[in-house]
Amino acid sequence: LKNPSSKALMYNAILVGRDADDFSLPKGNTVTIAPKSQTSINVEFTSRFLRPAEAVLLLISKHVGGIHGGTLTFSLKSQVKHIEP
């Protein structure tokens, strides 16, 4: 994620959808992007079934210092290709 603005952007991250419980955000549900910089969001997946899993990552902007970004959505899809006992 990039922030071209001269002020920090802050987002609340929410996972929704059929398999949202299989996905997690190890760094928590708040994402802050410093001014004129970029950051990455790590999403972890824990497989409970052999079928593909799907969820949606929503980033909802928090109003901070008179600026807020747009809401962002990302489609998350997984596929288990190898299993070890």
Side-chain angles (χ1 to χ4, degrees), residues 2 7-9 11 18 22 27 29 31 33 35-37 41-42 47 52-53 55 66 71-74 76-78 84:
K2 289 184 180 181
K7 296 186 179 183
L9 290 174
Y11 290 92
R18 178 184 74 182
D22 296 343
K27 293 186 178 180
N29 293 347
V31 177
I33 310 170
K36 303 283 184 188
S37 69
I41 300 173
N42 291 322
S47 177
T71 298
L72 304 172
T73 60
F74 298 91
L76 306 175
K77 296 180 182 183
S78 73
E84 293 185 16

Side-chain angles (χ1 to χ4, degrees), residues 57-80:
L57 171 62
L58 290 173
L59 295 176
I60 301 170
S61 177
K62 288 183 171 182
H63 188 74
V64 178
I67 189 170
H68 60 87
T71 298
L72 304 172
T73 60
F74 298 91
S75 178
L76 306 175
K77 296 180 182 183
S78 73
Q79 184 175 1
V80 178

